[in-house]
Amino acid sequence: MKATNPTQISLRAAQVLKLAGLVLILVSAIDYIMLPIPLQLGEVDWRVRMTTEFVERGIVPLLGMGLVFAGYAFENIVGVASPPRKPWSDLKAWIFLISTIFSIVFLLLVPLHIANVFAARSQTFARIERESIQTEEQLESRLQQQQNQINALLSNDPNLNDFVSRDGLSAEQLARLEEFREDPEALEEQIERIRENLKKEIAKRKQEAESSATLAALKSSVRIGANSLLLASCYIAIAWGGLKKKKRVQRPRG
């Protein structure tokens, strides 16, 4: 059985690493192209989702580039590295170019994502405000309706007697009805207390919803912003390494 040359094994490993890295980069490129389809640039939530998913996918092409450079490193170790036959076939040059583009994109995504997140928060605040106003209007309508019904019962003894006999009210409830009939202002005060308590509950829920929206916006801004900066720094390092190498190659010998 013919023994396998260690150099051949290293060369195959280098080829596999470069191929795996290239596949990761291409898959990531296809994913990025398909990600924004269909375009909804006017929707703030869509823009937030796009910047978030773009950053969260940023590690995949970076891993691919790492595998490609690992493959080149294997070739250099075993001494089988060869210069590209044509400039456009130099995979490392393409990676340096892609890294430069990614570094710019991820730097721009930091302020863009933060702006989109707080725009979405403003929309959430507006929705919470509308819902609170709508809830208060519904509350006012129900209270007014109930007050009118009670007044109608209190002003009509036969109806009141039928209501009492039908619903089987407790002694306390009967005493309250009697109080309302003798003192109409007591009913007004009772309705007002209920109104104030419910309005306080609505205001509390509104504040909790706004605090939750603000916290979510801050967490998203910090998480995606920090991740985007880290990715940008990695891509800048790769692009800068390629630029320095190009300068060394072009530097005239003394």
Side-chain angles (χ1 to χ4, degrees):
M1 184 175 180
K2 185 177 179 180
T4 304
N5 191 332
T7 301
Q8 293 178 344
I9 296 176
S10 299
L11 181 59
R12 290 175 185 173
Q15 292 173 344
V16 170
L17 286 173
K18 290 164 66 175
L19 178 61
L22 182 59
V23 168
L24 277 179
I25 294 172
L26 292 176
V27 168
S28 179
I30 295 173
D31 192 25
Y32 277 134
I33 292 172
M34 300 301 296
L35 182 61
I37 299 174
L39 291 174
Q40 299 175 5
L41 296 177
E43 297 291 333
V44 175
D45 291 339
W46 180 86
R47 297 201 301 268
V48 172
R49 187 171 66 253
M50 286 302 99
T51 53
T52 299
E53 293 185 7
F54 197 99
V55 172
E56 289 177 345
R57 288 167 166 78
I59 193 66
V60 177
L62 187 61
L63 291 174
M65 294 175 187
L67 290 176
V68 171
F69 283 120
Y72 278 112
F74 264 97
E75 291 181 347
N76 289 330
I77 290 173
V78 298
V80 295
S82 58
R85 297 178 180 179
K86 298 180 180 180
W88 58 266
S89 64
D90 187 0
L91 184 57
K92 286 187 289 186
W94 284 104
I95 289 179
F96 293 143
L97 176 61
I98 295 172
S99 297
T100 302
I101 296 173
F102 271 136
S103 64
I104 296 172
V105 170
F106 282 111
L107 283 176
L108 293 176
L109 281 179
V110 176
L112 180 62
H113 179 74
I114 293 174
N116 287 332
V117 163
F118 281 92
R121 189 196 66 160
S122 298
Q123 285 191 353
T124 302
F125 277 15
R127 177 180 57 79
I128 294 172
E129 181 67 24
R130 289 194 303 270
E131 291 177 352
S132 297
I133 294 174
Q134 184 179 7
T135 303
E136 288 188 6
E137 290 176 350
Q138 293 174 351
L139 166 65
E140 190 64 33
S141 177
R142 287 197 300 268
L143 288 176
Q144 189 63 45
Q145 184 179 6
Q146 291 175 2
Q147 184 176 4
N148 293 336
Q149 290 175 348
I150 294 174
N151 285 330
L153 285 173
L154 294 176
S155 62
N156 192 317
D157 289 340
N159 288 342
L160 179 60
N161 294 331
D162 291 341
F163 175 76
V164 171
S165 61
R166 184 177 64 252
D167 288 48
L169 301 180
S170 65
E172 182 181 354
Q173 290 172 328
L174 288 172
R176 178 69 66 178
L177 280 177
E178 186 64 27
E179 178 186 356
F180 290 157
R181 182 163 59 177
E182 294 177 357
D183 184 8
E185 292 184 359
L187 177 59
E188 291 285 349
E189 293 175 358
Q190 178 71 13
I191 294 293
E192 186 61 28
R193 283 195 296 269
I194 295 174
R195 179 184 290 110
E196 290 301 321
N197 290 335
L198 291 177
K199 282 186 175 180
K200 288 180 181 178
E201 183 65 24
I202 293 172
K204 180 181 177 182
R205 292 181 180 179
K206 175 185 175 183
Q207 185 178 5
E208 290 175 350
E210 290 177 346
S211 298
S212 178
T214 299
L215 180 60
L218 288 174
K219 289 172 64 176
S220 179
S221 298
V222 172
R223 183 176 69 88
I224 299 301
N227 290 346
S228 190
L229 281 176
L230 289 173
L231 288 169
S233 64
C234 291
Y235 286 113
I236 288 173
I238 294 173
W240 181 249
L243 181 62
K244 289 196 297 184
K245 182 178 180 181
K246 184 177 180 180
K247 287 182 177 180
R248 286 198 301 268
V249 171
Q250 293 179 349
R251 185 180 302 168
R253 296 180 180 180

mmCIF file of all heavy atoms in Angstrom, residues 18-61:
data_model
loop_
_atom_site.group_PDB
_atom_site.id
_atom_site.type_symbol
_atom_site.label_atom_id
_atom_site.label_comp_id
_atom_site.label_asym_id
_atom_site.label_seq_id
_atom_site.Cartn_x
_atom_site.Cartn_y
_atom_site.Cartn_z
ATOM 1 N N LYS A 18 -9.766 26.338 2.336
ATOM 2 C CA LYS A 18 -10.060 27.439 1.421
ATOM 3 C C LYS A 18 -11.436 27.274 0.773
ATOM 4 O O LYS A 18 -12.187 28.244 0.622
ATOM 5 C CB LYS A 18 -8.963 27.540 0.359
ATOM 6 C CG LYS A 18 -7.634 28.025 0.924
ATOM 7 C CD LYS A 18 -6.476 27.752 -0.024
ATOM 8 C CE LYS A 18 -6.578 28.554 -1.292
ATOM 9 N NZ LYS A 18 -5.379 28.369 -2.144
ATOM 10 N N LEU A 19 -11.766 26.031 0.394
ATOM 11 C CA LEU A 19 -13.068 25.778 -0.222
ATOM 12 C C LEU A 19 -14.193 26.032 0.776
ATOM 13 O O LEU A 19 -15.199 26.673 0.444
ATOM 14 C CB LEU A 19 -13.125 24.341 -0.733
ATOM 15 C CG LEU A 19 -14.459 23.919 -1.376
ATOM 16 C CD1 LEU A 19 -14.768 24.786 -2.591
ATOM 17 C CD2 LEU A 19 -14.421 22.437 -1.756
ATOM 18 N N ALA A 20 -14.028 25.554 2.019
ATOM 19 C CA ALA A 20 -15.064 25.757 3.046
ATOM 20 C C ALA A 20 -15.248 27.247 3.335
ATOM 21 O O ALA A 20 -16.378 27.735 3.474
ATOM 22 C CB ALA A 20 -14.694 25.009 4.323
ATOM 23 N N GLY A 21 -14.124 27.963 3.412
ATOM 24 C CA GLY A 21 -14.214 29.400 3.649
ATOM 25 C C GLY A 21 -14.900 30.125 2.511
ATOM 26 O O GLY A 21 -15.727 31.023 2.737
ATOM 27 N N LEU A 22 -14.574 29.740 1.280
ATOM 28 C CA LEU A 22 -15.198 30.376 0.121
ATOM 29 C C LEU A 22 -16.694 30.097 0.081
ATOM 30 O O LEU A 22 -17.500 30.993 -0.231
ATOM 31 C CB LEU A 22 -14.533 29.861 -1.155
ATOM 32 C CG LEU A 22 -15.035 30.453 -2.473
ATOM 33 C CD1 LEU A 22 -14.850 31.962 -2.493
ATOM 34 C CD2 LEU A 22 -14.319 29.812 -3.655
ATOM 35 N N VAL A 23 -17.089 28.871 0.421
ATOM 36 C CA VAL A 23 -18.509 28.522 0.441
ATOM 37 C C VAL A 23 -19.245 29.359 1.493
ATOM 38 O O VAL A 23 -20.346 29.869 1.243
ATOM 39 C CB VAL A 23 -18.690 27.016 0.723
ATOM 40 C CG1 VAL A 23 -20.155 26.704 1.031
ATOM 41 C CG2 VAL A 23 -18.225 26.201 -0.465
ATOM 42 N N LEU A 24 -18.645 29.510 2.670
ATOM 43 C CA LEU A 24 -19.275 30.328 3.715
ATOM 44 C C LEU A 24 -19.462 31.773 3.245
ATOM 45 O O LEU A 24 -20.511 32.388 3.491
ATOM 46 C CB LEU A 24 -18.424 30.310 4.985
ATOM 47 C CG LEU A 24 -18.599 29.112 5.926
ATOM 48 C CD1 LEU A 24 -17.654 29.246 7.111
ATOM 49 C CD2 LEU A 24 -20.030 29.001 6.400
ATOM 50 N N ILE A 25 -18.464 32.307 2.584
ATOM 51 C CA ILE A 25 -18.552 33.686 2.093
ATOM 52 C C ILE A 25 -19.657 33.811 1.043
ATOM 53 O O ILE A 25 -20.458 34.752 1.062
ATOM 54 C CB ILE A 25 -17.202 34.139 1.532
ATOM 55 C CG1 ILE A 25 -16.157 34.210 2.662
ATOM 56 C CG2 ILE A 25 -17.320 35.507 0.859
ATOM 57 C CD1 ILE A 25 -14.738 34.457 2.175
ATOM 58 N N LEU A 26 -19.710 32.854 0.109
ATOM 59 C CA LEU A 26 -20.724 32.902 -0.949
ATOM 60 C C LEU A 26 -22.129 32.710 -0.389
ATOM 61 O O LEU A 26 -23.076 33.407 -0.794
ATOM 62 C CB LEU A 26 -20.417 31.839 -2.009
ATOM 63 C CG LEU A 26 -19.155 32.075 -2.845
ATOM 64 C CD1 LEU A 26 -18.913 30.907 -3.786
ATOM 65 C CD2 LEU A 26 -19.266 33.380 -3.623
ATOM 66 N N VAL A 27 -22.274 31.771 0.534
ATOM 67 C CA VAL A 27 -23.584 31.556 1.167
ATOM 68 C C VAL A 27 -24.033 32.816 1.897
ATOM 69 O O VAL A 27 -25.202 33.223 1.833
ATOM 70 C CB VAL A 27 -23.523 30.351 2.127
ATOM 71 C CG1 VAL A 27 -24.778 30.297 2.998
ATOM 72 C CG2 VAL A 27 -23.379 29.054 1.354
ATOM 73 N N SER A 28 -23.095 33.439 2.584
ATOM 74 C CA SER A 28 -23.415 34.677 3.299
ATOM 75 C C SER A 28 -23.808 35.785 2.324
ATOM 76 O O SER A 28 -24.739 36.556 2.590
ATOM 77 C CB SER A 28 -22.220 35.122 4.139
ATOM 78 O OG SER A 28 -22.495 36.314 4.824
ATOM 79 N N ALA A 29 -23.113 35.856 1.194
ATOM 80 C CA ALA A 29 -23.434 36.880 0.199
ATOM 81 C C ALA A 29 -24.854 36.680 -0.343
ATOM 82 O O ALA A 29 -25.621 37.644 -0.483
ATOM 83 C CB ALA A 29 -22.421 36.832 -0.943
ATOM 84 N N ILE A 30 -25.215 35.430 -0.639
ATOM 85 C CA ILE A 30 -26.572 35.145 -1.118
ATOM 86 C C ILE A 30 -27.601 35.508 -0.053
ATOM 87 O O ILE A 30 -28.660 36.081 -0.338
ATOM 88 C CB ILE A 30 -26.694 33.667 -1.518
ATOM 89 C CG1 ILE A 30 -25.779 33.364 -2.718
ATOM 90 C CG2 ILE A 30 -28.140 33.299 -1.844
ATOM 91 C CD1 ILE A 30 -25.700 31.898 -3.077
ATOM 92 N N ASP A 31 -27.276 35.181 1.196
ATOM 93 C CA ASP A 31 -28.189 35.491 2.306
ATOM 94 C C ASP A 31 -28.401 36.994 2.433
ATOM 95 O O ASP A 31 -29.532 37.457 2.632
ATOM 96 C CB ASP A 31 -27.598 34.928 3.595
ATOM 97 C CG ASP A 31 -28.606 34.954 4.737
ATOM 98 O OD1 ASP A 31 -29.811 34.943 4.452
ATOM 99 O OD2 ASP A 31 -28.177 34.992 5.902
ATOM 100 N N TYR A 32 -27.319 37.758 2.316
ATOM 101 C CA TYR A 32 -27.429 39.216 2.417
ATOM 102 C C TYR A 32 -28.233 39.805 1.253
ATOM 103 O O TYR A 32 -28.964 40.783 1.428
ATOM 104 C CB TYR A 32 -26.045 39.846 2.459
ATOM 105 C CG TYR A 32 -25.423 39.848 3.831
ATOM 106 C CD1 TYR A 32 -24.102 39.457 4.023
ATOM 107 C CD2 TYR A 32 -26.145 40.253 4.947
ATOM 108 C CE1 TYR A 32 -23.528 39.463 5.278
ATOM 109 C CE2 TYR A 32 -25.582 40.265 6.202
ATOM 110 C CZ TYR A 32 -24.268 39.870 6.366
ATOM 111 O OH TYR A 32 -23.709 39.881 7.610
ATOM 112 N N ILE A 33 -28.085 39.212 0.068
ATOM 113 C CA ILE A 33 -28.828 39.714 -1.093
ATOM 114 C C ILE A 33 -30.329 39.461 -0.924
ATOM 115 O O ILE A 33 -31.162 40.326 -1.238
ATOM 116 C CB ILE A 33 -28.311 39.048 -2.382
ATOM 117 C CG1 ILE A 33 -26.882 39.527 -2.681
ATOM 118 C CG2 ILE A 33 -29.231 39.363 -3.558
ATOM 119 C CD1 ILE A 33 -26.218 38.785 -3.817
ATOM 120 N N MET A 34 -30.679 38.297 -0.378
ATOM 121 C CA MET A 34 -32.090 37.939 -0.237
ATOM 122 C C MET A 34 -32.728 38.558 1.001
ATOM 123 O O MET A 34 -33.954 38.664 1.074
ATOM 124 C CB MET A 34 -32.224 36.413 -0.153
ATOM 125 C CG MET A 34 -31.701 35.672 -1.372
ATOM 126 S SD MET A 34 -32.542 36.182 -2.904
ATOM 127 C CE MET A 34 -34.207 35.635 -2.560
ATOM 128 N N LEU A 35 -31.914 38.971 1.957
ATOM 129 C CA LEU A 35 -32.432 39.434 3.254
ATOM 130 C C LEU A 35 -33.430 40.587 3.138
ATOM 131 O O LEU A 35 -34.497 40.540 3.759
ATOM 132 C CB LEU A 35 -31.264 39.828 4.161
ATOM 133 C CG LEU A 35 -31.610 40.284 5.578
ATOM 134 C CD1 LEU A 35 -32.310 39.170 6.342
ATOM 135 C CD2 LEU A 35 -30.350 40.721 6.320
ATOM 136 N N PRO A 36 -33.142 41.657 2.377
ATOM 137 C CA PRO A 36 -34.070 42.800 2.375
ATOM 138 C C PRO A 36 -35.275 42.657 1.457
ATOM 139 O O PRO A 36 -36.072 43.596 1.360
ATOM 140 C CB PRO A 36 -33.179 43.945 1.888
ATOM 141 C CG PRO A 36 -32.171 43.288 1.020
ATOM 142 C CD PRO A 36 -31.926 41.931 1.605
ATOM 143 N N ILE A 37 -35.442 41.540 0.811
ATOM 144 C CA ILE A 37 -36.547 41.347 -0.125
ATOM 145 C C ILE A 37 -37.751 40.782 0.636
ATOM 146 O O ILE A 37 -37.615 39.784 1.353
ATOM 147 C CB ILE A 37 -36.147 40.399 -1.267
ATOM 148 C CG1 ILE A 37 -34.972 41.004 -2.059
ATOM 149 C CG2 ILE A 37 -37.316 40.111 -2.191
ATOM 150 C CD1 ILE A 37 -34.413 40.078 -3.115
ATOM 151 N N PRO A 38 -38.942 41.397 0.510
ATOM 152 C CA PRO A 38 -39.251 42.599 -0.272
ATOM 153 C C PRO A 38 -38.882 43.878 0.482
ATOM 154 O O PRO A 38 -38.944 43.919 1.708
ATOM 155 C CB PRO A 38 -40.774 42.506 -0.446
ATOM 156 C CG PRO A 38 -41.229 41.792 0.798
ATOM 157 C CD PRO A 38 -40.141 40.807 1.117
ATOM 158 N N LEU A 39 -38.492 44.900 -0.264
ATOM 159 C CA LEU A 39 -38.088 46.162 0.336
ATOM 160 C C LEU A 39 -39.283 46.874 0.969
ATOM 161 O O LEU A 39 -40.338 46.982 0.359
ATOM 162 C CB LEU A 39 -37.452 47.068 -0.723
ATOM 163 C CG LEU A 39 -36.094 46.639 -1.272
ATOM 164 C CD1 LEU A 39 -35.671 47.558 -2.398
ATOM 165 C CD2 LEU A 39 -35.036 46.632 -0.171
ATOM 166 N N GLN A 40 -39.065 47.360 2.192
ATOM 167 C CA GLN A 40 -40.091 48.127 2.907
ATOM 168 C C GLN A 40 -39.399 49.283 3.630
ATOM 169 O O GLN A 40 -39.468 49.402 4.860
ATOM 170 C CB GLN A 40 -40.853 47.241 3.897
ATOM 171 C CG GLN A 40 -41.593 46.101 3.248
ATOM 172 C CD GLN A 40 -42.239 45.174 4.268
ATOM 173 O OE1 GLN A 40 -42.210 45.424 5.457
ATOM 174 N NE2 GLN A 40 -42.828 44.094 3.781
ATOM 175 N N LEU A 41 -38.722 50.116 2.853
ATOM 176 C CA LEU A 41 -37.900 51.165 3.435
ATOM 177 C C LEU A 41 -38.704 52.157 4.269
ATOM 178 O O LEU A 41 -38.163 52.799 5.172
ATOM 179 C CB LEU A 41 -37.152 51.911 2.318
ATOM 180 C CG LEU A 41 -36.147 51.067 1.521
ATOM 181 C CD1 LEU A 41 -35.534 51.896 0.395
ATOM 182 C CD2 LEU A 41 -35.055 50.521 2.424
ATOM 183 N N GLY A 42 -39.979 52.292 3.979
ATOM 184 C CA GLY A 42 -40.797 53.230 4.736
ATOM 185 C C GLY A 42 -41.227 52.716 6.093
ATOM 186 O O GLY A 42 -41.744 53.487 6.912
ATOM 187 N N GLU A 43 -41.005 51.427 6.375
ATOM 188 C CA GLU A 43 -41.414 50.831 7.640
ATOM 189 C C GLU A 43 -40.241 50.838 8.622
ATOM 190 O O GLU A 43 -39.200 50.238 8.357
ATOM 191 C CB GLU A 43 -41.899 49.394 7.430
ATOM 192 C CG GLU A 43 -43.127 49.281 6.545
ATOM 193 C CD GLU A 43 -44.360 49.856 7.227
ATOM 194 O OE1 GLU A 43 -44.409 49.851 8.473
ATOM 195 O OE2 GLU A 43 -45.274 50.307 6.500
ATOM 196 N N VAL A 44 -40.426 51.496 9.757
ATOM 197 C CA VAL A 44 -39.353 51.578 10.753
ATOM 198 C C VAL A 44 -39.030 50.198 11.319
ATOM 199 O O VAL A 44 -37.858 49.843 11.491
ATOM 200 C CB VAL A 44 -39.739 52.548 11.887
ATOM 201 C CG1 VAL A 44 -38.686 52.533 12.986
ATOM 202 C CG2 VAL A 44 -39.905 53.956 11.350
ATOM 203 N N ASP A 45 -40.062 49.412 11.615
ATOM 204 C CA ASP A 45 -39.831 48.078 12.170
ATOM 205 C C ASP A 45 -39.040 47.217 11.195
ATOM 206 O O ASP A 45 -38.189 46.414 11.619
ATOM 207 C CB ASP A 45 -41.170 47.403 12.495
ATOM 208 C CG ASP A 45 -41.875 48.065 13.664
ATOM 209 O OD1 ASP A 45 -41.188 48.740 14.460
ATOM 210 O OD2 ASP A 45 -43.109 47.920 13.784
ATOM 211 N N TRP A 46 -39.309 47.359 9.917
ATOM 212 C CA TRP A 46 -38.561 46.599 8.903
ATOM 213 C C TRP A 46 -37.096 47.016 8.904
ATOM 214 O O TRP A 46 -36.198 46.170 8.831
ATOM 215 C CB TRP A 46 -39.177 46.827 7.529
ATOM 216 C CG TRP A 46 -38.486 46.105 6.407
ATOM 217 C CD1 TRP A 46 -38.701 44.831 5.984
ATOM 218 C CD2 TRP A 46 -37.436 46.627 5.573
ATOM 219 N NE1 TRP A 46 -37.870 44.512 4.934
ATOM 220 C CE2 TRP A 46 -37.073 45.608 4.660
ATOM 221 C CE3 TRP A 46 -36.782 47.849 5.512
ATOM 222 C CZ2 TRP A 46 -36.088 45.784 3.712
ATOM 223 C CZ3 TRP A 46 -35.797 48.028 4.559
ATOM 224 C CH2 TRP A 46 -35.452 47.002 3.667
ATOM 225 N N ARG A 47 -36.827 48.316 9.012
ATOM 226 C CA ARG A 47 -35.443 48.791 9.023
ATOM 227 C C ARG A 47 -34.702 48.298 10.266
ATOM 228 O O ARG A 47 -33.526 47.916 10.184
ATOM 229 C CB ARG A 47 -35.412 50.323 8.956
ATOM 230 C CG ARG A 47 -36.010 50.896 7.677
ATOM 231 C CD ARG A 47 -35.506 52.306 7.409
ATOM 232 N NE ARG A 47 -35.834 53.222 8.492
ATOM 233 C CZ ARG A 47 -36.928 53.963 8.547
ATOM 234 N NH1 ARG A 47 -37.848 53.868 7.569
ATOM 235 N NH2 ARG A 47 -37.141 54.798 9.540
ATOM 236 N N VAL A 48 -35.384 48.297 11.393
ATOM 237 C CA VAL A 48 -34.760 47.779 12.618
ATOM 238 C C VAL A 48 -34.440 46.295 12.458
ATOM 239 O O VAL A 48 -33.353 45.833 12.834
ATOM 240 C CB VAL A 48 -35.682 48.007 13.833
ATOM 241 C CG1 VAL A 48 -35.134 47.288 15.069
ATOM 242 C CG2 VAL A 48 -35.829 49.488 14.128
ATOM 243 N N ARG A 49 -35.377 45.550 11.905
ATOM 244 C CA ARG A 49 -35.171 44.117 11.705
ATOM 245 C C ARG A 49 -34.018 43.860 10.734
ATOM 246 O O ARG A 49 -33.206 42.939 10.951
ATOM 247 C CB ARG A 49 -36.449 43.473 11.194
ATOM 248 C CG ARG A 49 -36.381 41.947 11.122
ATOM 249 C CD ARG A 49 -37.728 41.339 10.823
ATOM 250 N NE ARG A 49 -38.214 41.699 9.482
ATOM 251 C CZ ARG A 49 -39.186 42.547 9.248
ATOM 252 N NH1 ARG A 49 -39.780 43.172 10.244
ATOM 253 N NH2 ARG A 49 -39.587 42.813 8.015
ATOM 254 N N MET A 50 -33.910 44.662 9.685
ATOM 255 C CA MET A 50 -32.843 44.475 8.709
ATOM 256 C C MET A 50 -31.463 44.742 9.321
ATOM 257 O O MET A 50 -30.541 43.956 9.136
ATOM 258 C CB MET A 50 -33.055 45.399 7.505
ATOM 259 C CG MET A 50 -34.168 44.998 6.562
ATOM 260 S SD MET A 50 -33.965 43.337 5.850
ATOM 261 C CE MET A 50 -35.069 42.399 6.927
ATOM 262 N N THR A 51 -31.321 45.853 10.027
ATOM 263 C CA THR A 51 -30.014 46.154 10.637
ATOM 264 C C THR A 51 -29.646 45.100 11.670
ATOM 265 O O THR A 51 -28.484 44.683 11.772
ATOM 266 C CB THR A 51 -30.030 47.542 11.281
ATOM 267 O OG1 THR A 51 -31.139 47.650 12.190
ATOM 268 C CG2 THR A 51 -30.158 48.629 10.230
ATOM 269 N N THR A 52 -30.639 44.643 12.428
ATOM 270 C CA THR A 52 -30.374 43.618 13.442
ATOM 271 C C THR A 52 -29.912 42.320 12.793
ATOM 272 O O THR A 52 -28.885 41.739 13.198
ATOM 273 C CB THR A 52 -31.642 43.355 14.277
ATOM 274 O OG1 THR A 52 -32.024 44.571 14.938
ATOM 275 C CG2 THR A 52 -31.382 42.282 15.328
ATOM 276 N N GLU A 53 -30.637 41.856 11.800
ATOM 277 C CA GLU A 53 -30.287 40.593 11.159
ATOM 278 C C GLU A 53 -28.987 40.711 10.367
ATOM 279 O O GLU A 53 -28.222 39.746 10.286
ATOM 280 C CB GLU A 53 -31.431 40.145 10.253
ATOM 281 C CG GLU A 53 -32.697 39.780 11.018
ATOM 282 C CD GLU A 53 -33.781 39.216 10.119
ATOM 283 O OE1 GLU A 53 -33.494 38.978 8.920
ATOM 284 O OE2 GLU A 53 -34.899 39.015 10.608
ATOM 285 N N PHE A 54 -28.721 41.872 9.803
ATOM 286 C CA PHE A 54 -27.471 42.059 9.066
ATOM 287 C C PHE A 54 -26.279 41.904 10.012
ATOM 288 O O PHE A 54 -25.293 41.225 9.681
ATOM 289 C CB PHE A 54 -27.454 43.442 8.420
ATOM 290 C CG PHE A 54 -26.435 43.591 7.324
ATOM 291 C CD1 PHE A 54 -26.800 43.473 5.995
ATOM 292 C CD2 PHE A 54 -25.106 43.852 7.618
ATOM 293 C CE1 PHE A 54 -25.856 43.591 4.986
ATOM 294 C CE2 PHE A 54 -24.162 43.977 6.624
ATOM 295 C CZ PHE A 54 -24.536 43.849 5.298
ATOM 296 N N VAL A 55 -26.368 42.527 11.177
ATOM 297 C CA VAL A 55 -25.273 42.427 12.141
ATOM 298 C C VAL A 55 -25.154 41.007 12.689
ATOM 299 O O VAL A 55 -24.043 40.477 12.838
ATOM 300 C CB VAL A 55 -25.480 43.439 13.281
ATOM 301 C CG1 VAL A 55 -24.460 43.223 14.393
ATOM 302 C CG2 VAL A 55 -25.371 44.865 12.750
ATOM 303 N N GLU A 56 -26.286 40.390 12.998
ATOM 304 C CA GLU A 56 -26.247 39.040 13.558
ATOM 305 C C GLU A 56 -25.658 38.027 12.587
ATOM 306 O O GLU A 56 -25.126 37.001 13.011
ATOM 307 C CB GLU A 56 -27.660 38.613 13.975
ATOM 308 C CG GLU A 56 -28.170 39.363 15.203
ATOM 309 C CD GLU A 56 -29.591 38.995 15.574
ATOM 310 O OE1 GLU A 56 -30.280 38.376 14.727
ATOM 311 O OE2 GLU A 56 -30.010 39.326 16.701
ATOM 312 N N ARG A 57 -25.740 38.298 11.280
ATOM 313 C CA ARG A 57 -25.154 37.399 10.281
ATOM 314 C C ARG A 57 -23.707 37.754 9.960
ATOM 315 O O ARG A 57 -23.070 37.074 9.156
ATOM 316 C CB ARG A 57 -25.995 37.449 8.996
ATOM 317 C CG ARG A 57 -27.344 36.761 9.091
ATOM 318 C CD ARG A 57 -28.210 37.136 7.895
ATOM 319 N NE ARG A 57 -29.365 36.286 7.726
ATOM 320 C CZ ARG A 57 -30.480 36.346 8.414
ATOM 321 N NH1 ARG A 57 -30.602 37.277 9.354
ATOM 322 N NH2 ARG A 57 -31.483 35.520 8.192
ATOM 323 N N GLY A 58 -23.190 38.812 10.554
ATOM 324 C CA GLY A 58 -21.858 39.299 10.182
ATOM 325 C C GLY A 58 -20.717 38.377 10.531
ATOM 326 O O GLY A 58 -19.626 38.485 9.955
ATOM 327 N N ILE A 59 -20.945 37.449 11.460
ATOM 328 C CA ILE A 59 -19.865 36.554 11.863
ATOM 329 C C ILE A 59 -19.600 35.471 10.816
ATOM 330 O O ILE A 59 -18.497 34.921 10.737
ATOM 331 C CB ILE A 59 -20.211 35.900 13.224
ATOM 332 C CG1 ILE A 59 -18.999 35.209 13.830
ATOM 333 C CG2 ILE A 59 -21.367 34.934 13.068
ATOM 334 C CD1 ILE A 59 -17.897 36.133 14.216
ATOM 335 N N VAL A 60 -20.614 35.154 9.981
ATOM 336 C CA VAL A 60 -20.465 34.050 9.023
ATOM 337 C C VAL A 60 -19.389 34.345 7.973
ATOM 338 O O VAL A 60 -18.477 33.529 7.779
ATOM 339 C CB VAL A 60 -21.818 33.730 8.356
ATOM 340 C CG1 VAL A 60 -21.654 32.628 7.311
ATOM 341 C CG2 VAL A 60 -22.830 33.316 9.411
ATOM 342 N N PRO A 61 -19.430 35.487 7.255
ATOM 343 C CA PRO A 61 -18.342 35.751 6.307
ATOM 344 C C PRO A 61 -16.992 35.903 6.999
ATOM 345 O O PRO A 61 -15.956 35.570 6.405
ATOM 346 C CB PRO A 61 -18.770 37.049 5.618
ATOM 347 C CG PRO A 61 -19.767 37.670 6.525
ATOM 348 C CD PRO A 61 -20.462 36.543 7.207
#
